[in-house]
Amino acid sequence: MYNPIFEKEKFKREVTNNVKTLFRKTVDEATPQQLFQAVSYAVKEVIIDDWIATQKAYKEQDPKIVYYMSMEFLMGRALGNNLINMTAYKEVAEALDEMGIDLNAVENEEPDAALGNGGLGRLAACFLDSLATLGYAAYGCGIRYRYGMFKQKIEDGYQVETPDNWLKNGNPFELRRPEYAKEVRFGGNIRVEYDEEGKTHFVQEHYESVRAVPYDMPIVGYNNHMVNTLRIWDAEPIVDFQLDEFDRGDYHKAVEQENLAKNIVEVLYPNDNHYAGKELRLKQQYFFISASIQQALSKYKMTHDDIHKLPEKVTFQMNDTHPTVAVAELMRILLDEEGLGWNEAWEITTHTCAYTNHTIMAEALEKWPIDLFSRLLPRVYQIIQEIDRRFVEQIRSQYPGDEGKVKRMAILMDGQVKMAHLAIVAGYSVNGVAALHTEILKKQELRDFYEMMPSKFNNKTNGITQRRFLLHGNPLLADWVTEKLGTKDWATDLSLMSGLRKWADDEEALKEFMSIKYKNKERLAQYILEHNGIEIDPRSIFDVQVKRLHEYKRQLLNILHVMYLYNQIKEHPERSFYPRTFIFGAKASAGYIRAKQIIKLINSVADVVNNDRSINGKLKVVFIEDYRVSNAELLFAGADVSEQISTASKEASGTGNMKFMLNGAPTLGTMDGANVEIVQEVGIENAFIFGLSSDEVISFEQHGGYNPVDIYNSDHEIRRVVDQLVDGTYGYGNREMYRDLYNSLLNTKSSSRADMYFILKDFRAYAEAQEKVEAAYRDRDRWAKMALLNTASCGKFSSDRTIEEYVKDIWHLDKLTVEV
Ligand code: 26W
């Protein structure tokens, strides 16, 4: 344990005392939730000193600060992770054990902080962990949603969403900081005024406003005393709702302000990769951006007097286009409040803001209707008009006569504000999140921009934190790795994992490795028994696909293949078949009907297959309810096979793929996103790669798709599976239940193209790859070696590596040291 103030007896007294002062109880009387609270406050007590020391270091060393602006931070649970990073997990477990308290049970009382949807939000959380661990000054800036990602219940096979009231018992780790509150204004109109010197002033009138109040969450670095801050904003009414307001006849206004404040931070939008154009979402965006930028500038101005040098000390990284209004808000403050001229303000802004693209899915692009945008943010809109006017002028001078370019590249076009264009024009860096993704951006999606400003474009392949996903999530494997490498330094230098390669032919080591996997499979099976009531056999192959539900991720391909296997087993009971357990976990956006049908289908297939005694338990299907960060840790640790089967070109990177690899599960996947780089690292012989390449997919798309009916007609096994969607096999006799899915595969009328995601096209290749999985698994030694080599080859995929690349190429931060 590194922290001298973290003494066992003192800690135990602290817990006992917390139980007493918080709940008027003794440890024996306390409920598990109360114990979680008491333990967390005791841990926070220790964190606070390092947090203060880190702030002091900020002041004394005056480092450049990155503000990671994100609508989403998918943090998961804090307690266990904080203990891991304080290198105090085992000691605390021991201390609690002496008090008769089980740390694991205490951890399970903590609700996940699910302020995010999926990959983009979880990436933000991993980045914060790495920034603190590597000693960089950073703030995460976001929204303190009252309700996070919805909780998923499965009722009668259907997804049912219930609210995620994650704050209902309070959040022991957060700090409310009312002294840093900021005002954020919406709507009204802009009056132009001229002062004596003839200078123009823009005055916003008749606006509504809210008070943004920050809550700080500690981000504990690993073993370095550094504690950074995730600053999430709550909204409060500016005017307190008081009775004298009522007397003055302002009752209405007071209610309105109260409602505006309440609504803004009420709930996380559960859309992943689908832009819905909701006014409230734009309000959320401007709300947290305005507050964060105001705060960053006031912090800067406390110790610096030349605003022109802002880019030397501050950088705003925009996590996708969601925070892009930052560009215009920064301009507004520089112009209207700092009194700078346009060129000076633009110079500063374009050296401070940088943009990361996380998706090429067209339906995810944020394009706000101009009337909505200008009504809500009148001054910000004026500024965007001027940015656009100047940019269009630049296009015309660089490409005279090419009005096509203007149409394709302008920020304001067809009555819309195109946020990606604004981000690229104003950002000093534009990056993709995996090598293939960045290439596709450059060659396809953002080609015009790349041509005009090639030097802005760069790649930063995503990564994940090994602290949460190995050290915390898989303690058995973590200990084994430490023993085999003879050091625990891999916790901060994942490249050391390559040292495990020398054990890849060592029979004893392979046996140990596989026995750890087996124990983790037992742990997962126990979770599934408790939560799903389904018994699964840890000796079967655990084939896992966990991620958001989206057509492009092709959970449908996976379940159709399960239906195909089931047909095979029924038809050829004599053939040997290695027992398999297919595990799914996925939330579908509430309004995404087809995604929800896929969930229902998975559960229907599970029902039929799991209850068919005649197949002797050879095949099991499990749908994990409420997939989230905390149960993800168990799933990665217990997986044999990692399903990464997106239609090539569609998955920007993927990060789940890396978490499986770290935990020794080979990838079954397409050459998409970061899978490409995973294969590069581990060798194609240690993965199961199949299907169309991204070039092939793109080429089909450019030629209007392909004809799935040919496949349906010529391959009777595929036809049979597709027909089973509408013959009642899985519809409990109801033939209409999955008609839409059937149509999506075959019928051009159901969507713009039949089988848009090339499911039937890739089906045979996928089935063959699955056969190879089975054959490989039968050969225990070969499998063990493959699995171990995956763990040994994951070094590149640490978010520490990713962050160092951002620092070197984009942010140019200084390293801090924190003295205690
Ligand atoms: C406007 C609605 C909306 C909401 C979220 C549009 C788009 C998003 C995100 C960009 C979706 C997302 O999470 N993208 C994922 O980002 C990960 C981190 O870079 C990648 O690993 C995933 O491939 C990508 O799908």
Side-chain angles (χ1 to χ4, degrees), residues 671-685:
M671 277 297 205
D672 198 17
N675 296 353
V676 176
E677 289 157 84
I678 285 179
V679 169
Q680 252 163 33
E681 295 298 305
V682 75
I684 195 148
E685 68 285 2

Side-chain angles (χ1 to χ4, degrees), residues 697-807:
V697 167
I698 290 166
S699 159
F700 273 120
E701 286 176 340
Q702 285 165 348
H703 297 90
Y706 84 106
N707 187 4
V709 177
D710 292 342
I711 296 177
Y712 174 86
N713 285 333
S714 63
D715 187 326
H716 72 275
E717 285 170 331
I718 291 181
R719 183 165 67 241
R720 174 146 180 233
V721 167
V722 173
D723 285 346
Q724 283 172 336
L725 290 173
V726 290
D727 70 3
T729 308
Y730 297 101
Y732 315 92
N734 178 348
R735 291 158 183 262
E736 296 313 308
M737 192 171 263
Y738 302 114
R739 177 76 60 185
D740 172 69
L741 293 179
Y742 174 91
N743 285 341
S744 78
L745 293 171
L746 294 176
N747 190 339
T748 43
K749 268 177 260 157
S750 74
S751 48
S752 56
R753 289 191 340 250
D755 195 10
M756 299 234 329
Y757 296 102
F758 303 90
I759 287 174
L760 301 190
K761 187 88 187 153
D762 272 346
F763 188 95
R764 268 294 149 202
Y766 178 59
E768 279 161 23
Q770 279 282 17
E771 277 170 30
K772 288 187 187 140
V773 168
E774 182 181 328
Y777 200 87
R778 280 176 188 279
D779 183 344
R780 300 302 290 149
D781 295 340
R782 177 168 157 217
W783 187 271
K785 183 171 173 179
M786 272 180 96
L788 184 146
L789 283 174
N790 269 274
T791 300
S793 309
C794 72
K796 174 175 175 183
F797 303 106
S798 170
S799 45
D800 299 341
R801 186 268 314 147
T802 312
I803 286 298
E804 290 291 19
E805 289 180 12
Y806 274 91
V807 168

Side-chain angles (χ1 to χ4, degrees), residues 124-144:
C126 285
F127 279 5
L128 294 185
D129 183 87
S130 287
L131 280 160
T133 296
L134 295 168
Y136 293 115
Y139 280 87
C141 303
I143 297 172
R144 184 175 178 270

Side-chain angles (χ1 to χ4, degrees), residues 119-120 271-274 320 322 358 364 433 462 552 651-654:
L120 161 137
N271 285 341
D272 185 82
N273 268 307
H274 186 79
D320 215 279
H322 320 155
H358 293 267
V433 291
N462 283 166
Y552 84 78
E651 189 70 271
S653 162

Side-chain angles (χ1 to χ4, degrees), residues 269-525:
Y269 274 95
N271 285 341
D272 185 82
N273 268 307
H274 186 79
Y275 162 76
K278 291 277 191 291
E279 174 164 352
L280 183 58
R281 166 120 174 148
L282 184 57
K283 277 190 189 159
Q284 291 183 335
Q285 295 183 349
Y286 184 67
F287 165 74
F288 95 98
I289 286 300
S290 178
S292 303
I293 295 205
Q294 289 182 52
Q295 185 244 310
L297 291 189
S298 31
K299 187 174 172 70
Y300 172 80
K301 284 170 65 177
M302 264 163 32
T303 44
H304 303 87
D305 42 27
D306 187 356
I307 194 75
H308 297 90
K309 291 195 175 151
L310 185 75
E312 291 176 19
K313 291 293 173 189
V314 169
T315 196
F316 296 123
Q317 187 67 36
M318 303 186 290
N319 202 18
D320 215 279
T321 57
H322 320 155
T324 296
V325 68
V327 165
E329 177 65 0
L330 180 56
M331 284 296 285
R332 184 188 70 76
I333 295 174
L334 294 175
L335 294 168
D336 297 358
E337 287 171 25
E338 298 294 324
L340 299 191
W342 183 274
N343 290 335
E344 297 169 285
W346 186 244
E347 179 72 13
I348 295 169
T349 301
T350 54
H351 287 85
T352 311
C353 300
Y355 159 59
T356 305
N357 175 291
H358 293 267
T359 182
I360 61 158
M361 301 296 291
E363 63 264 38
L365 288 180
E366 291 191 299
K367 297 173 279 192
W368 295 103
I370 285 180
D371 52 353
L372 184 162
F373 197 102
S374 57
R375 185 164 36 78
L376 193 66
L377 308 172
R379 179 62 185 138
V380 160
Y381 179 68
Q382 287 180 340
I383 290 167
I384 294 177
Q385 275 183 313
E386 181 60 14
I387 296 174
D388 181 59
R389 192 188 65 75
R390 288 169 183 246
F391 178 56
V392 167
E393 205 171 83
Q394 196 188 334
I395 303 173
R396 291 207 169 109
S397 86
Q398 208 162 322
Y399 304 96
D402 193 346
E403 283 303 301
K405 287 258 184 210
V406 174
K407 228 179 141 28
R408 293 197 300 274
M409 298 174 80
I411 299 165
L412 301 177
M413 186 52 67
D414 302 329
Q416 295 172 320
V417 188
K418 301 191 171 176
M419 299 309 272
H421 297 192
L422 178 60
I424 298 167
V425 172
Y428 68 92
S429 162
V430 176
N431 77 280
V433 291
L436 176 68
H437 170 59
T438 302
E439 284 312 301
I440 293 174
L441 289 179
K442 294 199 290 197
K443 293 206 191 98
Q444 318 271 338
E445 308 303 309
L446 302 178
R447 193 167 133 189
D448 293 308
F449 289 96
Y450 177 59
E451 216 180 278
M452 194 168 168
M453 32 195 129
S455 63
K456 281 188 186 182
F457 285 74
N458 64 96
N459 175 247
K460 295 286 165 284
T461 298
N462 283 166
I464 56 163
T465 171
Q466 66 268 34
R467 268 87 57 191
R468 180 177 293 267
F469 293 105
L470 189 56
L471 214 42
H472 184 262
N474 194 345
L476 295 176
L477 186 57
D479 284 345
W480 182 85
V481 169
T482 302
E483 183 212 310
K484 285 292 177 269
L485 294 178
T487 169
K488 207 177 162 184
D489 288 354
W490 57 269
T492 49
D493 179 1
L494 202 63
S495 71
L496 295 177
M497 298 296 266
S498 62
L500 295 173
R501 288 213 183 101
K502 75 165 189 242
W503 302 97
D505 291 303
D506 182 300
E507 235 172 82
E508 200 50 39
L510 290 173
K511 240 173 81 191
E512 290 162 9
F513 191 86
M514 290 315 283
S515 115
I516 288 167
K517 179 60 81 179
Y518 189 79
K519 289 194 183 113
N520 285 319
K521 287 168 77 174
E522 286 182 320
R523 182 176 69 157
L524 178 56

Side-chain angles (χ1 to χ4, degrees), residues 583-651:
I583 299 171
F584 294 82
K587 289 181 184 175
S589 172
Y592 191 172
I593 305 293
R594 193 170 282 166
K596 290 178 141 181
Q597 289 170 352
I598 295 170
I599 291 179
K600 172 66 178 165
L601 175 64
I602 294 167
N603 284 308
S604 298
V605 173
D607 237 19
V608 171
V609 168
N610 297 348
N611 294 312
D612 184 342
R613 297 266 187 106
S614 78
I615 63 167
N616 265 328
K618 281 180 189 164
L619 197 56
K620 285 267 167 86
V621 179
V622 178
F623 189 93
I624 304 272
E625 195 175 64
D626 203 39
Y627 174 59
R628 59 191 185 281
V629 176
S630 53
N631 60 22
E633 293 179 34
L634 306 177
L635 283 153
F636 297 127
D640 288 312
V641 180
S642 161
E643 294 261 5
Q644 308 300 335
I645 59 178
S646 54
T647 307
S649 80
K650 305 290 181 206
E651 189 70 271

